Amino acid sequence: MDFDLELRAVPKVAAVVILSVTYARFISSHLRPGLPRLLPLLPVLSLLPFLPMLFTSIHFRTNAGFFISWLCLFKLLLLCFGRGPLDPSLPFISFLSLASLPVKLPTTNDPKNQSSFHSLSPKYLLTTAIKAALFAGLLSLYRFRDQMHPYLFLVMLCFHIYLSLELLLGTAAILAGAILGMEFEPQFNKPYFSSSLCDFWGRRWNLMVSAILRPSVYIPVRSCTGRAAAVIATFIVSGIMHELMFYYITLLPPNGVVLLFFILHGICTAVEGWYAQHGNWWRPPKILATVGAVAFVTYTSFWLFFPAMLRGGALENGMMEIESIIGLFTGDMYLVKD
């Protein structure tokens, strides 16, 4: 991996994002919500998904895709129609941070919310250190991949995704609190305790995405067609966006498999929601429901999610990048590869 090339791309991408968000704030402060805002912002909305392609690294490209092509783009879409969290009356720094980072304005008056500064408690730091140690140990096991059972390898990949996102977003949380004085949107809430698909997708896994899909897809569709259609529509949009994220990872044309994964989960979640409201003849014990929900998510991920993500040697390329980063910081330059 060419670190110089990646670092040269960072200011270019940042400059385009800042200019785009500044333009969006200017337009939204002078035009009313709806088509008058949407039409002049279409060039910006069309540009954002291309910015991550300025990076050649899988990690740079995918993280940029998540923050810019998904979160930022959807927040600007909501702005076009006068829905939060962005508002043109916000100070420029707050507006820019809200648009381009997974942060939210402080809500110190709400006892249910905890600020990012509170996350710097000894308990949080200890938990983060343990997760970092587990992640480092996990990376060291990849050298034995050829000797592993395929399902054991996929289980490791589950933990890899979970721990890497927790560490990445946890670091961003510290920076958001210390530099911006803003709260960081949580990413996970103990997903291994999910007692249903609704619980897993709505309250425990990828909460940033849930928070942005709820006002942009679920609520508008539900107001027109009802809950079941809104759930399925939300999962379809999530599947389309995951196809884009997987393109950033593999650089291969989408094959629809990950979209199928989310359509399947959308249908099952809608059926589950209907049963929760109308099916009174049997409710499984919580521990059995938890085992069933986690097993279903895990099995369908092995079947559809991971095969779509691992196409084109994505894992091998990603591991080479991680080795390069480790070599850069430890001085083991023999690990650093273009």
Side-chain angles (χ1 to χ4, degrees):
M1 181 172 66
D2 191 334
F3 289 101
D4 290 337
L5 184 62
E6 302 304 305
L7 293 177
R8 284 198 297 268
V10 170
K12 297 177 184 178
V13 173
V16 174
V17 170
I18 292 172
L19 289 174
S20 299
V21 172
T22 303
Y23 172 72
R25 182 171 180 266
F26 173 80
I27 291 296
S28 61
S29 64
H30 289 82
L31 298 176
R32 60 183 176 83
L35 282 178
R37 279 190 190 177
L38 177 62
L39 292 177
L41 286 179
L42 280 179
V44 168
L45 299 175
S46 302
L47 172 66
L48 293 180
F50 292 96
L51 291 181
M53 298 306 297
L54 293 177
F55 296 108
T56 59
S57 159
I58 291 177
H59 292 85
F60 278 82
R61 191 168 57 240
T62 306
N63 289 323
F66 179 65
F67 290 131
I68 299 172
S69 304
W70 195 334
L71 296 184
C72 182
L73 188 148
F74 273 68
K75 289 177 182 179
L76 292 181
L77 274 174
L78 287 171
L79 175 67
C80 291
F81 297 96
R83 299 179 180 178
L86 296 176
D87 189 284
S89 64
L90 290 171
F92 174 74
I93 295 299
S94 297
F95 187 93
L96 176 63
S97 302
L98 281 173
S100 55
L101 297 173
V103 296
K104 57 185 179 181
L105 293 173
T107 53
T108 54
N109 294 328
D110 188 349
K112 295 181 181 180
N113 291 306
Q114 295 179 333
S115 70
S116 296
F117 293 108
H118 181 71
S119 67
L120 293 176
S121 64
K123 180 180 178 181
Y124 173 82
L125 295 175
L126 177 61
T127 302
T128 301
I130 292 173
K131 290 176 180 176
L134 289 173
F135 185 63
L138 190 67
L139 293 179
S140 67
L141 294 177
Y142 277 109
R143 70 184 69 177
F144 305 110
R145 177 187 173 184
D146 293 338
Q147 288 78 44
M148 288 183 187
H149 190 280
Y151 283 119
L152 176 60
F153 168 71
L154 291 176
V155 169
M156 283 180 51
L157 202 57
C158 291
F159 284 103
H160 183 140
I161 293 173
Y162 172 65
L163 291 172
S164 61
L165 286 175
E166 282 274 47
L167 292 171
L168 170 68
L169 298 171
T171 302
I174 295 174
L175 295 176
I179 299 175
L180 303 173
M182 306 183 79
E183 292 183 354
F184 194 76
E185 293 180 313
Q187 176 71 5
F188 299 104
N189 180 24
K190 300 177 181 177
Y192 35 83
F193 289 146
S194 302
S195 58
S196 66
L197 292 178
C198 294
D199 188 31
F200 179 85
W201 291 113
R203 293 181 287 272
R204 294 187 180 275
W205 181 266
N206 220 345
L207 299 180
M208 293 181 195
V209 170
S210 298
I212 202 68
L213 289 177
R214 191 173 293 112
S216 59
V217 182
Y218 177 77
I219 293 176
V221 175
R222 186 185 64 179
S223 65
C224 299
T225 62
R227 181 186 180 278
V231 169
I232 294 174
T234 303
F235 274 87
I236 289 175
V237 172
S238 181
I240 293 171
M241 294 309 299
H242 274 84
E243 291 281 6
L244 177 60
M245 296 302 109
F246 282 17
Y247 174 74
Y248 293 142
I249 295 174
T250 65
L251 295 182
L252 294 175
N255 60 4
V257 173
V258 72
L259 176 59
L260 179 61
F261 170 86
F262 281 95
I263 292 175
L264 173 64
H265 276 255
I267 294 172
C268 292
T269 303
V271 172
E272 182 187 80
W274 179 90
Y275 183 83
Q277 293 181 339
H278 302 92
N280 297 319
W281 51 90
W282 182 72
R283 297 292 172 89
K286 186 172 182 179
I287 185 169
L288 183 60
T290 298
V291 172
V294 173
F296 180 80
V297 172
T298 303
Y299 176 78
T300 53
S301 297
F302 289 179
W303 173 33
L304 297 171
F305 190 87
F306 290 126
M309 186 176 67
L310 297 177
R311 295 187 302 152
L315 178 66
E316 290 75 10
N317 293 334
M319 292 305 301
M320 287 177 59
E321 290 183 5
I322 291 174
E323 289 181 352
S324 298
I325 294 171
I326 294 173
L328 187 68
F329 284 99
T330 62
D332 296 329
M333 298 308 294
Y334 66 90
L335 289 173
V336 181
K337 305 173 183 178
D338 291 338

